[in-house]
Amino acid sequence: MSRPAETGSAGTTPSLREMAVVFLKLGTFGYGGPAAHVAMMEQEVAVNRRWLSRERLLDLIGATNLIPGPNSTELAMHCGHEKAGWPGLVVAGGCFMLPAVASTTILAAAYESYGHVPAAESFLYGVKPAILSIILSVTLALARKGVKTVELAVAGVATLAACLLGANEIVALFAAGFYGMTSRAVKDRYRPSAFVPFIFPGDGHMVDALIFWSFLKIGSIPFGSGYVLFAYLEAELVTPGLLSRQVLMDAVAVGQITPGPVLSAATFVGWQMGGVWGAVLATAGIFLPSFLFVALLNPLVTVLRRSTMMSAFLDFINVGSVAVLLSVCIDFGRESLFDWRTMAIAVLGFAVSLLFRRLNAAYVVVGGGGLGWLLRLV
């Protein structure tokens, strides 16, 4: 039986209830990172249910790379928006996020009670170097993809140097992006447009406002990989002394062993900072920009994809993201690698991550924790 031509966005129109069930299922079994999530959505949405053509789905996948935020979550939002507008966007995105947020909330509550008892400490002893190995392998993969020219390589090195010398990671990242836009404008003999970055106000008086604004800022800028989230958290919360690096690294682990988008780790961090209400505010802040970006920028996707200046901005932002991640690896390494056992776990985890790229990172995390527990008995 032949398939219908796969052109345009026409297809079966689901009800909001059916859409909720499908994306809730995808979120529940969404292990393996964004690539796995996208593959699952392609199979479910384009092949099994034919809500969208493969051609249109590819357009939407490309659109997610043009805006900050978690790509797979934004793809779910795009799919919902295509079929049912704003209600579909909210239902698809919300249901895809829900399993990750719920499981992270449970772990955050448990961590508050058991995160520092001896048994948990033995497990976390091996988790930290395992997390370091995962982030390092992701950084290497992103570098291979992002460093396309000598100019991009130089920009990446400059961004890394700035971060290591104490510059704010977010400022360094956007400096790279705007340099890329200016450079492309000069090369193309265009007159550079005026770009005014959005400045978010700070609030040092109320913890709740601080949590929300911090995560709203962070949710507005993560290009390249969800792992960049942790670099921004370090700049925004760890460096000023509002959060310990240990809690941040444990949040990375939680983000790996729960399904769905890694940005749900924000729920964990929010809980540690402000309990239940802190978790709610952090979750709302980190995901709200994605809902807005998808809804507002969807009509401009075609225009943005054809813009040489936006393309340059994204190229340099991605290279800057690699540099920021590498600076985080250096900081994490200083705290997590302190004896031969932790070094061995990190090397083994890095090797496994490189050799078995399709392996769910959760296995590396759990394996590192178990190995750490065993090695501490030696």
Side-chain angles (χ1 to χ4, degrees), residues 14-28 41 45 51-52 72-99 261 291 294:
S15 66
L16 289 177
R17 180 177 180 180
E18 183 182 3
M19 189 180 294
V21 170
V22 168
F23 283 98
L24 189 62
K25 181 180 73 172
L26 289 170
T28 301
M41 286 186 205
V45 173
W51 291 349
L52 297 172
S72 56
T73 305
E74 288 174 345
L75 181 58
M77 295 174 186
H78 272 298
C79 290
H81 188 271
E82 285 284 309
K83 306 309 297 184
W86 262 98
L89 182 152
V90 173
V91 168
C95 288
F96 182 71
M97 292 161 37
L98 182 60
F291 283 92
V294 170

Side-chain angles (χ1 to χ4, degrees), residues 11 31-32 57-58 64 78 96 126 128 190 211 271 276 282 289 322 328:
Y31 287 94
L57 190 66
L58 285 174
T64 64
H78 272 298
F96 182 71
K128 294 176 183 178
Y190 292 141
I211 292 173
W271 184 291
V276 175
V322 172
V328 169

Side-chain angles (χ1 to χ4, degrees), residues 56 60 63 66-67 78 81-82 86 89 292-305:
R56 184 57 181 172
L60 297 180
L66 296 175
I67 55 178
H78 272 298
H81 188 271
E82 285 284 309
W86 262 98
L89 182 152
L292 297 177
F293 284 137
V294 170
L296 298 177
L297 298 184
N298 186 272
L300 302 177
V301 166
T302 303
V303 175
L304 292 175
R305 289 180 68 186

